[in-house]
Amino acid sequence: MTCSVWGRYSRLLLLSALASASFGASAWAVGTPLAPPAVYPEGTWQGKGTAVVRVLDRLDAHVEVLSVPVGGEPRHYKNLDILARRCLQRPPTRAPDAAAWLEIQDTHPGGASFKGWMLAAEPGLGVLESSVYDVRMVRCEGDDMAPFLPPLPKPVAPPPLPEAAPVDEGAGSGAAPAQPDQPGLAVPASPTRPATPEANPFQPESDGTY
């Protein structure tokens, strides 16, 4: 029984201390404004020296990942010639994506060809129309080259918040604040209840006798 009472008393003390701490923090704490994170502008790309593509041969279901140097000789794979003109990737502060300007030629008689941008995040925008091969952009890698990333913008912190006004200690005592008398208004007095009349000794009884 003693342990139960002591445990309940300890919990009450802990709750009281937490309430006092939270009240003091809300009354006196002033928030410190933080600068937003530094982010590259939208539409910023970093040039890279190598384009990485994935080639699927539909005839034997073989998948090959090829590294194609930008501006170099075409990369040969079976009946495909793949030439990379540019390879761009998003900076670290933007959503990951990579794009490459590719020139692809299927050397089969009447084979398909492609010339344009392929995006890793949206492969449906640039497709090699071939019944044999499927080519997808994977990523950019290698050394940095033009275009280079601009300097990362320096964020500016917002102005500090105004300090909170101190809270009157008597506000939490539970006493209602005194209301000032309004001019021109009179507080009506409580009506006085009439006293109960005493019994009249000269009042006849119900049988007519006094």
Side-chain angles (χ1 to χ4, degrees):
M1 181 64 179
T2 304
C3 295
S4 176
V5 173
W6 176 249
R8 187 177 304 173
Y9 181 69
S10 300
R11 287 194 296 270
L12 290 176
L13 287 178
L14 178 60
L15 291 177
S16 177
L18 291 176
S20 300
S22 61
F23 176 77
S26 61
W28 295 100
V30 178
T32 302
L34 300 177
V39 178
Y40 283 103
E42 187 176 359
T44 304
W45 296 85
Q46 168 64 64
K48 288 290 186 178
T50 303
V52 180
V53 298
R54 186 198 66 188
V55 181
L56 167 65
D57 188 341
R58 294 188 176 94
L59 298 180
D60 56 8
H62 179 74
V63 176
E64 188 76 17
V65 178
L66 305 176
S67 296
V68 184
V70 173
E73 295 295 326
R75 181 69 186 271
H76 302 284
Y77 174 73
K78 294 186 177 181
N79 289 89
L80 283 182
D81 291 338
I82 305 174
L83 178 64
R85 297 292 187 184
R86 299 283 295 278
C87 195
L88 308 175
Q89 72 175 12
R90 287 289 194 182
T93 60
R94 308 302 301 188
D97 197 3
W101 180 276
L102 302 175
E103 297 179 9
I104 306 173
Q105 179 64 54
D106 184 357
T107 58
H108 283 110
S113 63
F114 173 84
K115 184 178 182 180
W117 287 101
M118 282 191 178
L119 278 73
E122 300 182 53
L125 296 181
V127 179
L128 174 67
E129 301 290 343
S130 172
S131 58
V132 180
Y133 300 106
D134 178 74
V135 181
R136 299 290 180 93
M137 177 62 189
V138 178
R139 65 181 180 273
C140 296
E141 60 184 18
D143 298 333
D144 293 344
M145 56 189 308
F148 296 98
L149 294 178
L152 192 63
K154 184 177 181 181
V156 179
L161 300 175
E163 295 185 0
V167 179
D168 188 6
E169 295 181 357
S173 60
Q179 299 291 338
D181 295 335
Q182 299 182 8
L185 294 178
V187 180
S190 300
T192 305
R193 296 181 61 185
T196 303
E198 296 181 357
N200 189 356
F202 300 101
Q203 181 72 21
E205 300 292 338
S206 59
D207 57 353
T209 60
Y210 288 90

